[in-house]
């Protein structure tokens, strides 16, 4: 969700139970502008909140001209002071699989996992315990990266890819028509394509390369992992992810207003297969 429109846009998500207190809104409105100016970001997004047991993490992301050129992710526990998170890597994601349960709210907390390994062969074999630790700060950046990869979405046409390969906001985007807004194929994953890259040139021949350069929700597996519904008559469309409960996207058809946010515990829905 664009930080500049946070005060207005957060109201669209009240029907989904996503609410910020007046104090949090005021603090975010000030601190995110300072964050953008200090780091010279072109745009700052208020990503959402991950709830912990003893404290919550408020997340913001800053981008430069190229939206796919890498995002800087920050967290705050008071909506005023922001700390930079290290970029998530595949190694981090793998290591963080040992961490289970909810976040504690302490970035320095260590998750411990004890593995039993066999050393030696035959009669000389013996078992030893190996303890691995992962800091909560590393787990936090890994979960944010995973949620971005799985469910961060935008309307089709809201962003374009230029001849130089940069991805930037489309000034000509005027919103989706109501009929278009009711179809999952009108929404795209805001990340480099995965399924689209596997298609043949013949299958891609009918696509507009400047607009259709991302995967659509229609191709997501498993089917049914998105819930789409209209609110306020047909004046607001809401999409909710069943994979990451707490992720909500909104769009006002016929306008440039759209955005998304995550308010949850940072835990993937492992029961999705039984819900479909």
């Amino acid at each position: 969700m664009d930080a500049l429109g946070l005060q207005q846009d957060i109201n669209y998500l009240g029907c989904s139970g996503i609410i910020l207190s007046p104090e949090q809104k005021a603090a975010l409105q000030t601190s995110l502008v300072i964050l953008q100016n200090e780091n010279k970001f072109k745009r700052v997004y208020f990503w959402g909140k991950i709830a912990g047991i003893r404290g919550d993490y408020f997340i913001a992301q800053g981008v430069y001209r190229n939206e796919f050129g890498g995002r800087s992710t920050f967290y705050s526990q008071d909506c005023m002071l922001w700390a930079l998170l290290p970029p998530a890597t595949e190694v981090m994601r793998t290591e963080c699989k040992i961490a289970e349960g909810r976040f504690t709210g302490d970035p320095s907390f260590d998750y411990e996992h004890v593995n039993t390994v066999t050393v030696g062969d035959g009669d000389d074999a013996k078992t030893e315990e190996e303890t691995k630790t992962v800091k909560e700060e590393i787990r936090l950046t890994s979960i944010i990266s995973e949620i971005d990869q799985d469910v961060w979405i935008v309307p089709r046409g809201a962003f374009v890819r230029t001849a130089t390969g940069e991805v930037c906001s489309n000034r000509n985007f005027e919103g989706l028509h109501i009929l278009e807004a009711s179809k999952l194929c009108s929404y795209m994953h805001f990340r480099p394509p995965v399924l689209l890259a596997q298609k043949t040139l013949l299958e891609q021949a009918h696509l507009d390369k400047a607009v259709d350069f991302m995967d659509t929700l229609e191709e997501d597996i498993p089917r049914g992992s998105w819930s789409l519904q209209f609110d306020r008559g047909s004046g607001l469309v809401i999409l909710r992810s069943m994979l990451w409960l707490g992720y909500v996207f909104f769009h006002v058809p016929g306008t440039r207003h759209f955005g998304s946010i995550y308010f949850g515990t940072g835990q993937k829905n492992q029961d999705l297969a039984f819900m479909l």
Side-chain angles (χ1 to χ4, degrees):
M1 181 178 291
D2 194 332
L4 292 178
L6 177 62
Q7 290 278 4
Q8 175 186 351
D9 293 347
I10 196 70
N11 294 328
Y12 290 118
L13 301 174
C15 60
S16 299
I18 294 176
I19 298 173
L20 292 172
S21 69
E23 293 79 12
Q24 290 171 339
K25 287 182 181 179
L28 289 169
Q29 186 177 25
T30 302
S31 65
L32 291 178
V33 171
I34 296 173
L35 183 68
Q36 181 174 358
N37 292 336
E38 286 182 343
N39 294 275
K40 296 180 171 56
F41 292 127
K42 181 180 179 181
R43 192 190 306 269
V44 168
Y45 295 101
F46 177 59
W47 187 90
K49 182 180 77 172
I50 292 181
I53 297 173
R54 296 190 296 270
D56 301 330
Y57 295 105
F58 294 87
I59 312 298
Q61 292 181 326
V63 296
Y64 296 101
R65 177 178 174 81
N66 184 6
E67 295 274 354
F68 278 9
R71 304 176 192 133
S72 298
T73 304
F74 299 81
Y75 74 89
S76 173
Q77 294 185 294
D78 59 4
C79 298
M80 287 298 295
L81 300 176
W82 296 91
L84 179 65
L85 285 170
T89 64
E90 287 300 323
V91 174
M92 286 182 183
R93 289 190 185 186
T94 302
E95 291 177 347
C96 288
K97 289 181 179 178
I98 68 171
E100 298 179 349
R102 291 186 57 183
F103 284 83
T104 65
D106 179 6
S108 62
F109 179 80
D110 285 324
Y111 293 90
E112 293 187 355
H113 180 74
V114 178
N115 278 335
T116 302
V117 296
T118 302
V119 180
D121 299 318
D123 296 335
D124 297 329
K126 59 180 181 179
T127 59
E128 295 182 355
E129 289 187 347
E130 181 183 55
T131 303
K132 293 184 178 181
T133 61
V134 173
K135 282 198 176 295
E136 181 156 291
E137 187 179 56
I138 300 301
R139 184 191 179 195
L140 182 64
T141 190
S142 299
I143 290 296
I144 292 170
S145 174
E146 193 172 353
I147 293 174
D148 284 345
Q149 180 73 14
D150 289 343
V151 296
W152 190 0
I153 62 176
V154 295
R156 179 182 180 273
F159 291 86
V160 294
R161 183 171 58 186
T162 66
T164 60
E166 290 185 345
V167 176
C168 55
S169 179
N170 183 5
R171 296 180 180 179
N172 296 322
F173 178 67
E174 297 180 352
L176 299 175
H177 187 271
I178 294 176
L179 184 60
E180 295 175 324
S182 64
K183 301 177 181 177
L184 289 180
C185 61
S186 298
Y187 304 95
M188 315 184 89
H189 286 280
F190 197 47
R191 54 166 167 73
V194 177
L195 299 177
L196 183 62
Q198 300 173 2
K199 293 184 178 180
T200 65
L201 293 177
L202 183 60
E203 291 174 320
Q204 299 182 36
H206 67 287
L207 301 178
D208 183 344
K209 294 183 179 180
V211 175
D212 299 313
F213 58 93
M214 297 179 283
D215 298 323
T216 67
L217 303 195
E218 191 179 38
E219 301 173 304
D220 279 10
I221 297 174
R223 307 278 183 182
S225 60
W226 289 95
S227 169
L228 187 154
Q229 68 182 75
F230 282 94
D231 195 14
R232 304 182 185 181
S234 58
L236 180 67
V237 61
I238 299 288
L239 279 89
R240 298 181 180 88
S241 172
M242 299 292 104
L243 180 62
W244 289 96
L245 299 175
Y247 179 86
V248 184
F249 169 89
F250 81 91
H251 175 49
V252 181
T255 73
R256 295 176 58 87
H257 288 299
F258 70 89
S260 62
I261 204 167
Y262 176 80
F263 268 45
T265 60
Q267 295 173 293
K268 185 179 287 189
N269 181 15
Q270 303 295 342
D271 297 326
L272 177 60
F274 303 99
M275 297 170 61
L276 301 177

